[in-house]
Amino acid sequence: MVRILHAADFHLDSAYGALSMEQAVQRRKESRENLARLVDYGNDHQAQLMLLSGDLFDSDATFGQTGEMLTEELGRFHGEVVIAPGNHDYYDRRSAYAKLLWPENVHIFRQDVMESIAFPQYGCVVHGAAFLSENAEELPLENVAEDDGLLHLGVLHGDVGSKDSRYRPISVQQIAQSGLAYLALGHVHGCSGVLQAGKTAYAYPGCLEGRGFDELGDKGFLFGEVDSAGVKLRFIPFAKRRYQILNVDLTESEQPVETICRQLPLRTEDDIYRILLVGESTEPIRAEKIQEELAERFYHLEVRDQTRLRQDLWARCDDDTLRGLFLRQMREKYDAATDDTQRQRIEQAVRFGLAAMDNRE
């Protein structure tokens, strides 16, 4: 049995272009500080192997202090670290992987063919490969692991299930035929959970921190145990800040700010939100004013108005058109309704019908 911490896609020194300059600087600083937090977690929970599946750096234009901090923090880890460089931080003679002085407990794959590193103290072997440029081709994974009584693990940056990918396509069939007990993957920024291909378990842990509204919710890493009987890993939420999108329907709302606040969780001050205002409003929505009123409740907030002004549903009943015929028939049903619930349903049906005629959602 070996206790592992599997993480990937740190994207250190990302631009955070959607934030203010001050916030972008702070977010990069926080991302570097995550390194110490990650190592502390591994040490506190007696992790033996830290498997890092690439894209630790966002590009080769990284700050010198970032690489130095990474080497220093990984050197504090009590176990062994294995890194498989990805498409953003591919290995070449100019990369941080080549230029920095790495601690003895850090092992970096430097070839685009499968290599193996044995850890007899843990009774296991770790197999992996590196990106040598922004693109990487498929690797033969069949029978990577030998039947030698040792536990065989893999670390790769790649794209499972996308045969035409430029970022090392990997098929589920290849994983199933690899002979590995566990394949630690990087590249996809959402946690996949532990999946199974034949006798091989595999997973993407996702990124440590979201960097945009395409990376929503909790982010973190996987931690647990791997042995010959199976894989027991759990997702550990880790991100200091989360990106969230909240849709708020302002139909029937006379106080937009109050309506929004009722739908917010208790704590949002550390998070980055985009609030989408939808539905019908009786007067134009002032999104900028709403954003100004709510800004202090968030680390960063965007408010976008997608509402439409409410119109008299029956205004064109007399039109000599298909719309007019539809409205007249629905108005007859509305007038014949015996309670408010029926009338509300008919109004909703009219809205759907008019939206369909106007090619609206």
Side-chain angles (χ1 to χ4, degrees):
M1 183 273 289
V2 62
R3 190 174 294 110
I4 71 168
L5 188 159
H6 171 201
D9 296 283
F10 300 176
H11 287 275
L12 294 167
D13 291 340
S14 289
Y16 293 100
L19 302 178
S20 70
M21 184 178 297
E22 293 78 8
Q23 287 177 324
V25 169
Q26 183 179 8
R27 294 297 289 127
R28 286 192 288 271
K29 179 176 181 290
E30 290 171 349
S31 295
R32 291 191 290 268
E33 291 170 349
N34 281 342
L35 303 174
R37 293 174 55 217
L38 187 70
V39 170
D40 287 343
Y41 184 97
N43 288 340
D44 291 344
H45 292 80
Q46 293 81 50
Q48 296 164 309
L49 281 179
M50 184 181 293
L51 307 180
L52 303 180
S53 307
D55 282 2
L56 307 190
F57 302 105
D58 191 55
S59 71
D60 59 0
T62 187
F63 295 104
Q65 68 187 91
T66 303
E68 292 170 4
M69 186 174 291
L70 179 61
T71 61
E72 180 180 344
E73 295 301 337
L74 293 182
R76 287 198 307 110
F77 181 56
H78 295 166
E80 304 289 331
V81 181
V82 181
I83 302 174
N87 58 292
H88 277 261
D89 62 350
Y90 56 86
Y91 183 88
D92 69 10
R93 60 184 177 81
R94 297 168 298 176
S95 68
Y97 295 124
K99 292 189 294 186
L100 290 169
L101 182 63
W102 294 88
E104 291 184 359
N105 69 323
V106 176
H107 312 270
I108 303 169
F109 291 117
R110 302 167 188 263
Q111 303 294 327
D112 60 353
V113 295
M114 294 296 285
E115 301 178 275
S116 302
I117 305 171
F119 297 103
Q121 67 272 40
Y122 305 136
C124 71
V125 180
V126 178
H127 309 266
F131 273 64
L132 301 186
S133 69
E134 294 179 349
N135 304 319
E137 297 181 352
E138 184 178 70
L139 280 175
L141 297 181
E142 294 81 358
N143 303 312
V144 166
E146 298 180 16
D147 186 10
D148 53 9
L150 297 174
L151 195 62
H152 289 264
L153 311 175
V155 187
L156 282 176
H157 198 84
D159 201 348
V160 173
S162 180
K163 65 179 182 178
D164 297 322
S165 174
R166 295 183 295 129
Y167 306 114
R168 179 163 288 130
I170 302 171
S171 72
V172 174
Q173 183 179 8
Q174 283 180 306
I175 297 173
Q177 296 175 351
S178 68
L180 298 170
Y182 179 65
L183 177 58
L185 292 164
H187 187 61
V188 174
H189 289 189
C191 181
S192 66
V194 178
L195 306 171
Q196 200 74 28
K199 295 182 178 180
T200 301
Y202 66 100
Y204 289 100
C207 52
L208 282 187
E209 291 272 354
R211 298 175 299 149
F213 289 105
D214 56 345
E215 297 173 357
L216 301 175
D218 285 323
K219 301 298 178 184
F221 56 88
L222 292 166
F223 175 80
E225 299 174 350
V226 181
D227 60 26
S228 57
V231 174
K232 297 179 181 178
L233 300 177
R234 66 182 186 276
F235 175 72
I236 307 298
F238 189 75
K240 182 177 179 63
R241 306 187 190 281
R242 298 177 300 168
Y243 281 80
Q244 303 282 24
I245 295 177
L246 177 66
N247 286 272
V248 179
D249 191 336
L250 295 184
T251 304
E252 309 295 342
S253 172
E254 297 182 359
Q255 301 293 333
V257 172
E258 292 181 8
T259 301
I260 294 169
C261 289
R262 284 196 296 269
Q263 297 188 36
L264 289 172
L266 291 177
R267 299 198 49 160
T268 58
E269 62 270 20
D270 290 334
D271 294 335
I272 301 163
Y273 263 71
R274 175 179 290 164
I275 297 177
L276 303 178
L277 306 178
V278 299
E280 293 185 338
S281 61
T282 55
E283 57 185 35
I285 297 297
R286 299 175 63 188
E288 291 182 2
K289 185 174 185 299
I290 293 173
Q291 180 168 313
E292 183 178 333
E293 288 188 45
L294 292 174
E296 291 185 357
R297 293 194 55 168
F298 306 89
Y299 180 75
H300 180 83
L301 173 65
E302 298 177 8
V303 178
R304 297 188 177 185
D305 177 25
Q306 297 180 353
T307 61
R308 59 184 181 275
L309 287 174
R310 179 174 298 175
Q311 299 176 345
D312 180 1
L313 287 180
W314 315 108
R316 298 177 62 180
C317 276
D318 295 332
D319 286 7
D320 187 17
T321 61
L322 180 61
R323 180 188 296 269
L325 176 61
F326 168 70
L327 289 172
R328 287 193 293 276
Q329 291 178 344
M330 296 303 288
R331 186 57 191 256
E332 290 176 5
K333 295 178 184 290
Y334 181 86
D335 291 339
T338 57
D339 58 57
D340 288 341
T341 299
Q342 283 183 301
R343 293 188 186 95
Q344 289 173 1
R345 289 175 177 171
I346 292 169
E347 285 183 344
Q348 186 75 352
V350 172
R351 290 191 178 94
F352 282 134
L354 294 177
M357 291 181 187
D358 294 337
N359 292 317
R360 292 185 284 110
E361 292 186 359

Coordinates of all heavy atoms in Angstrom, one line a residue, residues 4-12 30-56 69-70 72-83 205-209 219-223 234-240:
I4 N -0.9 8.3 -1.5 CA -0.6 9.3 -2.5 C -1.4 10.6 -2.4 O -2.5 10.6 -1.9 CB -0.7 8.7 -3.9 CG1 -2.2 8.6 -4.3 CG2 0.1 7.4 -4.1 CD1 -2.4 8.3 -5.8
L5 N -0.7 11.7 -2.9 CA -1.4 12.9 -3.1 C -1.3 13.2 -4.6 O -0.1 13.3 -5.1 CB -0.8 14.1 -2.2 CG -1.5 15.4 -2.2 CD1 -1.1 16.2 -1.0 CD2 -1.2 16.2 -3.5
H6 N -2.4 13.4 -5.3 CA -2.3 13.5 -6.7 C -2.9 14.9 -7.1 O -4.1 15.2 -6.8 CB -3.2 12.4 -7.4 CG -3.4 12.7 -8.9 ND1 -4.4 12.1 -9.6 CD2 -2.7 13.4 -9.8 CE1 -4.4 12.4 -10.8 NE2 -3.4 13.3 -11.0
A7 N -2.1 15.8 -7.6 CA -2.5 17.1 -8.0 C -2.0 17.5 -9.4 O -1.1 16.8 -9.9 CB -2.0 18.2 -7.0
A8 N -2.5 18.5 -10.0 CA -2.1 18.9 -11.4 C -2.6 20.3 -11.6 O -3.4 20.9 -10.9 CB -2.7 18.0 -12.4
D9 N -2.1 20.9 -12.7 CA -2.7 22.1 -13.3 C -2.7 23.3 -12.3 O -3.7 23.9 -12.1 CB -4.1 21.8 -13.9 CG -4.0 20.9 -15.1 OD1 -3.6 21.3 -16.2 OD2 -4.3 19.7 -14.9
F10 N -1.5 23.5 -11.7 CA -1.4 24.7 -10.8 C -1.5 26.0 -11.6 O -2.0 27.0 -11.2 CB -0.1 24.7 -10.1 CG 0.2 23.5 -9.2 CD1 1.4 23.4 -8.6 CD2 -0.8 22.5 -9.0 CE1 1.7 22.3 -7.7 CE2 -0.5 21.5 -8.2 CZ 0.7 21.4 -7.5
H11 N -0.9 26.0 -12.8 CA -0.9 27.2 -13.7 C -0.3 28.4 -13.0 O -0.9 29.5 -13.0 CB -2.2 27.4 -14.4 CG -2.6 26.5 -15.4 ND1 -2.1 26.6 -16.7 CD2 -3.3 25.3 -15.4 CE1 -2.6 25.6 -17.4 NE2 -3.3 24.8 -16.6
L12 N 0.8 28.2 -12.3 CA 1.4 29.3 -11.6 C 1.8 30.5 -12.5 O 2.2 30.3 -13.6 CB 2.7 28.8 -10.9 CG 2.5 27.7 -9.8 CD1 3.8 27.1 -9.4 CD2 1.8 28.3 -8.6
E30 N -1.2 34.3 -4.1 CA -2.0 33.3 -3.4 C -1.7 31.9 -4.0 O -1.6 30.9 -3.3 CB -3.5 33.6 -3.4 CG -3.9 34.8 -2.6 CD -5.3 35.2 -2.7 OE1 -6.0 34.7 -3.7 OE2 -5.8 36.1 -1.9
S31 N -1.6 31.9 -5.3 CA -1.3 30.6 -6.0 C 0.1 30.1 -5.6 O 0.2 28.8 -5.4 CB -1.3 30.8 -7.5 OG -2.6 31.1 -7.9
R32 N 1.0 31.0 -5.4 CA 2.4 30.5 -4.9 C 2.3 30.0 -3.5 O 2.9 29.1 -3.1 CB 3.4 31.6 -5.1 CG 3.7 32.0 -6.5 CD 4.9 32.9 -6.6 NE 4.6 34.2 -6.2 CZ 4.2 35.2 -6.9 NH1 4.0 35.0 -8.2 NH2 4.0 36.4 -6.5
E33 N 1.5 30.7 -2.7 CA 1.3 30.3 -1.3 C 0.6 29.0 -1.2 O 0.8 28.3 -0.2 CB 0.5 31.4 -0.5 CG 1.3 32.7 -0.4 CD 0.4 33.8 0.2 OE1 -0.9 33.6 0.2 OE2 1.0 34.9 0.5
N34 N -0.2 28.6 -2.2 CA -0.8 27.3 -2.2 C 0.2 26.1 -2.1 O -0.1 25.0 -1.6 CB -1.7 27.1 -3.4 CG -3.0 27.8 -3.3 OD1 -3.5 28.1 -2.3 ND2 -3.6 28.0 -4.5
L35 N 1.4 26.4 -2.6 CA 2.4 25.3 -2.6 C 2.8 24.9 -1.2 O 2.9 23.7 -0.9 CB 3.7 25.8 -3.3 CG 3.5 26.3 -4.8 CD1 4.8 26.9 -5.3 CD2 3.0 25.2 -5.7
A36 N 2.9 25.9 -0.3 CA 3.2 25.5 1.1 C 2.0 24.8 1.7 O 2.2 23.8 2.5 CB 3.6 26.8 1.9
R37 N 0.8 25.3 1.4 CA -0.4 24.6 2.0 C -0.5 23.2 1.5 O -0.8 22.3 2.3 CB -1.6 25.4 1.6 CG -1.8 26.8 2.1 CD -3.0 27.5 1.6 NE -4.2 26.8 1.7 CZ -5.2 26.7 0.8 NH1 -5.1 27.3 -0.3 NH2 -6.2 26.0 1.1
L38 N -0.2 23.0 0.2 CA -0.3 21.6 -0.3 C 0.7 20.7 0.4 O 0.4 19.5 0.7 CB 0.0 21.7 -1.8 CG -0.3 20.3 -2.6 CD1 -1.7 20.0 -2.6 CD2 0.3 20.5 -4.0
V39 N 2.0 21.1 0.5 CA 3.0 20.3 1.1 C 2.7 20.1 2.6 O 2.8 18.9 3.1 CB 4.4 21.0 1.0 CG1 5.4 20.3 1.8 CG2 4.8 20.9 -0.5
D40 N 2.2 21.1 3.3 CA 1.8 20.9 4.7 C 0.7 19.8 4.8 O 0.7 19.0 5.7 CB 1.3 22.2 5.3 CG 2.4 23.2 5.5 OD1 3.5 22.8 5.5 OD2 2.1 24.4 5.7
Y41 N -0.3 19.8 3.9 CA -1.3 18.8 3.9 C -0.7 17.4 3.7 O -1.1 16.5 4.5 CB -2.4 19.1 2.9 CG -3.5 18.1 2.9 CD1 -4.7 18.5 3.6 CD2 -3.5 16.8 2.3 CE1 -5.8 17.6 3.7 CE2 -4.5 16.0 2.4 CZ -5.7 16.3 3.1 OH -6.7 15.4 3.2
G42 N 0.1 17.3 2.7 CA 0.7 16.0 2.5 C 1.5 15.5 3.7 O 1.4 14.3 4.1
N43 N 2.3 16.4 4.3 CA 3.1 16.0 5.5 C 2.2 15.6 6.6 O 2.4 14.7 7.4 CB 4.1 17.1 5.8 CG 5.2 17.2 4.8 OD1 5.5 16.3 4.1 ND2 5.9 18.3 4.8
D44 N 1.2 16.5 6.9 CA 0.3 16.2 8.0 C -0.5 14.9 7.9 O -0.9 14.3 8.9 CB -0.7 17.4 8.2 CG 0.0 18.7 8.6 OD1 1.1 18.6 9.1 OD2 -0.6 19.8 8.4
H45 N -0.7 14.5 6.6 CA -1.5 13.3 6.4 C -0.6 12.1 6.0 O -1.1 11.1 5.4 CB -2.6 13.5 5.4 CG -3.6 14.5 5.9 ND1 -3.5 15.8 5.9 CD2 -4.9 14.2 6.4 CE1 -4.6 16.4 6.4 NE2 -5.4 15.4 6.7
Q46 N 0.7 12.2 6.2 CA 1.6 11.1 5.9 C 1.6 10.6 4.5 O 1.7 9.4 4.2 CB 1.4 9.9 6.9 CG 1.7 10.2 8.4 CD 0.6 11.0 9.1 OE1 -0.5 10.6 9.0 NE2 0.9 12.1 9.7
A47 N 1.4 11.5 3.5 CA 1.5 11.1 2.1 C 3.0 10.6 1.8 O 3.9 11.2 2.3 CB 1.1 12.2 1.2
Q48 N 3.1 9.6 1.0 CA 4.4 9.1 0.7 C 4.8 9.5 -0.7 O 6.0 9.7 -1.0 CB 4.4 7.5 0.8 CG 4.1 7.0 2.2 CD 3.7 5.6 2.3 OE1 2.8 5.2 1.5 NE2 4.4 4.8 3.1
L49 N 3.9 9.6 -1.6 CA 4.2 10.0 -3.0 C 3.3 11.2 -3.3 O 2.1 11.2 -3.1 CB 3.9 8.9 -4.0 CG 4.9 7.7 -4.2 CD1 4.4 6.7 -5.2 CD2 6.2 8.3 -4.6
M50 N 3.9 12.2 -3.9 CA 3.1 13.3 -4.5 C 3.3 13.2 -6.0 O 4.3 13.3 -6.6 CB 3.6 14.6 -4.0 CG 2.8 15.8 -4.5 SD 3.4 17.5 -3.9 CE 3.1 17.3 -2.2
L51 N 2.2 12.9 -6.7 CA 2.1 12.8 -8.1 C 1.6 14.1 -8.8 O 0.4 14.4 -8.6 CB 1.3 11.6 -8.5 CG 1.7 10.2 -7.8 CD1 0.7 9.1 -8.3 CD2 3.1 9.9 -8.1
L52 N 2.4 14.8 -9.5 CA 2.0 16.1 -10.1 C 2.0 15.9 -11.6 O 3.0 15.7 -12.3 CB 3.0 17.1 -9.7 CG 3.2 17.3 -8.2 CD1 4.2 18.4 -7.9 CD2 1.8 17.6 -7.5
S53 N 0.8 16.0 -12.2 CA 0.6 15.6 -13.6 C 0.6 16.8 -14.6 O -0.3 16.9 -15.5 CB -0.8 14.9 -13.7 OG -0.8 13.8 -12.8
G54 N 1.5 17.7 -14.4 CA 1.8 18.7 -15.4 C 1.1 20.0 -15.3 O 0.1 20.2 -14.5
D55 N 1.5 20.9 -16.1 CA 1.0 22.3 -16.1 C 1.1 23.0 -14.8 O 0.2 23.7 -14.3 CB -0.4 22.4 -16.7 CG -0.5 22.3 -18.2 OD1 0.6 22.1 -18.8 OD2 -1.6 22.4 -18.8
L56 N 2.2 22.7 -14.1 CA 2.5 23.4 -12.8 C 2.7 24.9 -13.1 O 2.3 25.7 -12.3 CB 3.7 22.8 -12.1 CG 3.6 21.3 -11.9 CD1 4.8 20.9 -10.9 CD2 2.3 20.8 -11.4
M69 N 10.4 29.1 -5.3 CA 9.5 28.7 -4.2 C 9.0 27.3 -4.4 O 8.8 26.6 -3.4 CB 8.3 29.7 -4.2 CG 7.3 29.5 -3.0 SD 6.0 30.7 -2.9 CE 7.0 32.2 -2.5
L70 N 8.7 26.9 -5.7 CA 8.2 25.5 -5.9 C 9.3 24.5 -5.5 O 9.0 23.5 -4.8 CB 7.9 25.4 -7.4 CG 7.4 24.0 -7.8 CD1 6.1 23.6 -7.1 CD2 7.2 23.9 -9.3
E72 N 11.7 24.9 -3.3 CA 11.9 25.0 -1.9 C 10.8 24.2 -1.2 O 11.0 23.4 -0.2 CB 11.9 26.4 -1.4 CG 12.1 26.6 0.1 CD 12.1 28.0 0.5 OE1 12.3 28.9 -0.4 OE2 11.9 28.3 1.7
E73 N 9.5 24.4 -1.6 CA 8.4 23.8 -0.9 C 8.4 22.3 -1.2 O 8.1 21.5 -0.2 CB 7.1 24.4 -1.4 CG 6.9 25.9 -1.0 CD 7.0 26.1 0.5 OE1 6.7 25.1 1.3 OE2 7.3 27.2 1.0
L74 N 8.6 21.9 -2.4 CA 8.6 20.4 -2.7 C 9.7 19.7 -1.9 O 9.6 18.6 -1.5 CB 8.7 20.2 -4.2 CG 7.5 20.6 -5.0 CD1 7.8 20.2 -6.5 CD2 6.2 20.0 -4.5
G75 N 10.8 20.5 -1.7 CA 11.9 19.9 -0.9 C 11.5 19.7 0.6 O 12.2 18.9 1.3
R76 N 10.5 20.4 1.1 CA 10.0 20.1 2.4 C 9.1 18.9 2.6 O 8.8 18.5 3.7 CB 9.2 21.4 2.9 CG 10.0 22.6 3.2 CD 9.1 23.6 4.0 NE 7.8 23.9 3.5 CZ 6.7 23.4 4.0 NH1 6.6 22.7 5.1 NH2 5.5 23.8 3.4
F77 N 8.7 18.4 1.4 CA 7.8 17.2 1.5 C 8.5 16.0 2.0 O 9.7 15.7 1.6 CB 7.2 16.9 0.1 CG 6.3 15.8 0.0 CD1 5.1 15.7 0.8 CD2 6.5 14.7 -0.9 CE1 4.3 14.6 0.7 CE2 5.7 13.6 -0.9 CZ 4.5 13.6 -0.1
H78 N 7.9 15.3 2.9 CA 8.6 14.2 3.6 C 8.8 12.9 2.7 O 9.6 12.0 3.0 CB 7.9 13.8 4.9 CG 7.9 14.9 5.9 ND1 7.0 14.9 7.0 CD2 8.6 16.0 6.0 CE1 7.2 16.0 7.7 NE2 8.2 16.7 7.1
G79 N 8.0 12.9 1.6 CA 8.0 11.7 0.7 C 8.7 12.1 -0.6 O 9.6 13.0 -0.7
E80 N 8.4 11.4 -1.6 CA 8.9 11.6 -3.0 C 7.9 12.2 -3.9 O 6.7 12.0 -3.8 CB 9.3 10.2 -3.6 CG 10.3 9.4 -2.7 CD 11.7 10.0 -2.7 OE1 12.1 10.7 -3.7 OE2 12.4 9.8 -1.7
V81 N 8.4 13.1 -4.8 CA 7.6 13.8 -5.7 C 7.9 13.4 -7.1 O 9.1 13.3 -7.5 CB 7.8 15.4 -5.6 CG1 6.9 16.1 -6.6 CG2 7.6 15.8 -4.2
V82 N 6.9 13.1 -8.0 CA 7.1 12.8 -9.4 C 6.3 13.7 -10.2 O 5.1 13.9 -10.0 CB 6.7 11.3 -9.6 CG1 6.9 11.0 -11.1 CG2 7.4 10.4 -8.7
I83 N 7.0 14.3 -11.2 CA 6.4 15.4 -12.1 C 6.4 14.9 -13.5 O 7.4 14.5 -14.0 CB 7.1 16.7 -12.0 CG1 7.1 17.2 -10.5 CG2 6.5 17.7 -12.9 CD1 7.9 18.5 -10.3
P205 N -7.5 15.2 -11.1 CA -7.9 15.8 -9.9 C -8.5 17.2 -10.1 O -9.1 17.8 -9.2 CB -6.5 16.0 -9.2 CG -5.6 16.1 -10.3 CD -6.1 15.2 -11.4
G206 N -8.3 17.8 -11.4 CA -8.7 19.1 -11.6 C -7.6 20.1 -11.2 O -6.5 19.7 -10.8
C207 N -7.8 21.4 -11.4 CA -6.8 22.4 -11.0 C -7.0 22.7 -9.5 O -8.0 22.4 -8.9 CB -7.0 23.6 -11.9 SG -8.7 24.3 -11.9
L208 N -5.9 23.4 -9.0 CA -6.0 23.8 -7.6 C -6.8 25.0 -7.4 O -7.5 25.1 -6.3 CB -4.6 24.0 -7.1 CG -3.7 22.9 -6.7 CD1 -2.4 23.4 -6.1 CD2 -4.4 21.9 -5.8
E209 N -6.8 25.9 -8.3 CA -7.6 27.1 -8.2 C -8.2 27.4 -9.6 O -7.6 27.3 -10.6 CB -6.7 28.3 -7.9 CG -6.1 28.3 -6.5 CD -7.0 29.0 -5.4 OE1 -8.1 29.6 -5.8 OE2 -6.7 28.9 -4.2
K219 N -12.3 23.5 -6.2 CA -11.1 23.0 -6.9 C -10.2 22.4 -5.8 O -10.2 22.9 -4.7 CB -10.4 24.0 -7.7 CG -11.3 24.7 -8.8 CD -11.7 23.7 -9.8 CE -12.6 24.3 -10.9 NZ -13.2 23.3 -11.8
G220 N -9.4 21.4 -6.2 CA -8.5 20.8 -5.2 C -7.7 19.7 -5.8 O -7.2 19.7 -6.9
F221 N -7.5 18.6 -5.0 CA -6.7 17.5 -5.4 C -7.2 16.2 -4.8 O -8.3 16.2 -4.1 CB -5.2 17.7 -4.9 CG -5.1 17.9 -3.4 CD1 -5.0 16.8 -2.5 CD2 -5.1 19.2 -2.9 CE1 -4.9 17.0 -1.2 CE2 -5.0 19.4 -1.5 CZ -4.9 18.3 -0.6
L222 N -6.6 15.1 -5.2 CA -7.0 13.8 -4.7 C -6.0 13.2 -3.7 O -4.8 13.4 -3.9 CB -7.2 12.8 -5.9 CG -8.3 13.1 -6.9 CD1 -8.1 12.3 -8.1 CD2 -9.7 12.8 -6.2
F223 N -6.5 12.6 -2.7 CA -5.6 12.0 -1.6 C -6.2 10.7 -1.2 O -7.4 10.5 -1.1 CB -5.5 13.0 -0.5 CG -4.7 12.4 0.7 CD1 -3.3 12.4 0.6 CD2 -5.4 11.8 1.8 CE1 -2.6 11.8 1.7 CE2 -4.6 11.3 2.8 CZ -3.2 11.3 2.8
R234 N -10.0 10.3 -2.3 CA -11.1 11.3 -2.1 C -10.7 12.7 -2.5 O -9.5 13.0 -2.5 CB -11.6 11.3 -0.6 CG -10.6 11.9 0.4 CD -11.2 11.8 1.8 NE -10.3 12.4 2.8 CZ -9.3 11.9 3.4 NH1 -9.0 10.6 3.1 NH2 -8.6 12.5 4.3
F235 N -11.6 13.4 -3.0 CA -11.4 14.8 -3.4 C -11.3 15.7 -2.2 O -12.1 15.7 -1.3 CB -12.5 15.3 -4.4 CG -12.3 16.7 -4.8 CD1 -11.4 17.1 -5.7 CD2 -13.2 17.7 -4.3 CE1 -11.2 18.4 -6.1 CE2 -13.1 19.0 -4.7 CZ -12.1 19.4 -5.6
I236 N -10.2 16.5 -2.2 CA -10.0 17.5 -1.1 C -10.2 18.9 -1.6 O -9.3 19.4 -2.4 CB -8.5 17.3 -0.5 CG1 -8.2 15.9 -0.1 CG2 -8.4 18.3 0.7 CD1 -9.1 15.3 0.9
P237 N -11.3 19.6 -1.3 CA -11.4 21.0 -1.7 C -10.3 21.8 -1.2 O -10.0 21.7 0.0 CB -12.8 21.4 -1.1 CG -13.5 20.1 -0.9 CD -12.4 19.1 -0.5
F238 N -9.7 22.7 -2.0 CA -8.5 23.4 -1.6 C -8.5 24.8 -2.0 O -7.7 25.6 -1.4 CB -7.3 22.6 -2.2 CG -6.0 23.0 -1.8 CD1 -5.5 22.7 -0.5 CD2 -5.1 23.8 -2.6 CE1 -4.2 23.0 -0.1 CE2 -3.9 24.2 -2.2 CZ -3.4 23.8 -0.9
A239 N -9.2 25.2 -3.0 CA -9.1 26.6 -3.5 C -9.4 27.6 -2.5 O -10.4 27.5 -1.7 CB -10.1 26.7 -4.7
K240 N -8.6 28.7 -2.5 CA -8.9 29.8 -1.6 C -10.1 30.6 -2.1 O -10.8 31.1 -1.3 CB -7.6 30.7 -1.5 CG -7.7 31.9 -0.6 CD -6.4 32.7 -0.5 CE -6.6 33.9 0.4 NZ -6.8 33.5 1.8

